[in-house]
Amino acid sequence: MTAADVKVREELAQLGLPAPDQIGFVVRDLDQAIAHYDPLFGPFSKTDYGPQKASYQGRSRSAYELKFAFGRIGDLEIELIEWISGDTPHRDFLEKGRDGMHHLRFRVDDLDQWAAKLQAKGYETVWHDRLSPHVAFGYFERDDDPLVLELLQYPEDGDPTTGT
């Protein structure tokens, strides 16, 4: 473990975030990624939510489309994400020539409260949306740190406003 890794671990521990519940991978081809990662994290289930909207880099909500597959390793969900269209951090990640591990997700009770804590530590909200009063997500980045943090506010028993 490098000194930078130790520093990130210590800073995350100071925030008091719960244990991560997901590792997100951005991939260029979902089917190829499933074939590659299935022996480690499969079986995968594919999900296509169709066109969605979110705010990216402080701009108004705009349309995007991603395709997903979900696997597991123990209690940790593995998310594979293929960018299809729109302004998202996933597109930028791919345009920088990257693919692979992209973010860690943490489930929280109050996204706005946790966003303020992360911002106080130098994180910037780069992508977010509130889907209902009880469901919201945000991606957080900071300069010189390749690790993206995703916070998900989602009740353990599903979203009471949608019945899911």
Side-chain angles (χ1 to χ4, degrees), residues 52-56 59-64 87-88 127-130 137:
Q52 302 286 312
K53 287 189 173 184
S55 174
Y56 186 50
R59 296 187 291 262
S60 297
R61 292 175 77 233
S62 63
Y64 70 89
D87 292 333
T88 75
W127 196 51
H128 66 92
D129 196 21
R130 182 162 291 280
F137 71 87

Side-chain angles (χ1 to χ4, degrees), residues 66-125:
L66 305 169
K67 291 185 179 178
F68 302 90
F70 297 95
R72 296 204 77 74
I73 185 167
D75 292 335
L76 199 58
E77 182 177 72
I78 304 300
E79 177 184 44
L80 304 178
I81 306 164
E82 178 183 347
W83 176 81
I84 303 300
S85 66
D87 292 333
T88 75
H90 315 91
R91 177 205 59 203
D92 293 352
F93 188 74
L94 293 169
E95 286 180 352
K96 291 176 183 173
R98 301 181 193 157
D99 60 14
M101 186 179 158
H102 178 259
H103 67 266
L104 289 177
R105 185 181 78 188
F106 302 85
R107 288 182 73 135
V108 297
D109 292 333
D110 184 332
L111 179 68
D112 296 332
Q113 177 187 26
W114 281 100
K117 286 182 181 183
L118 288 176
Q119 289 163 352
K121 292 288 187 182
Y123 286 88
E124 177 185 349
T125 305

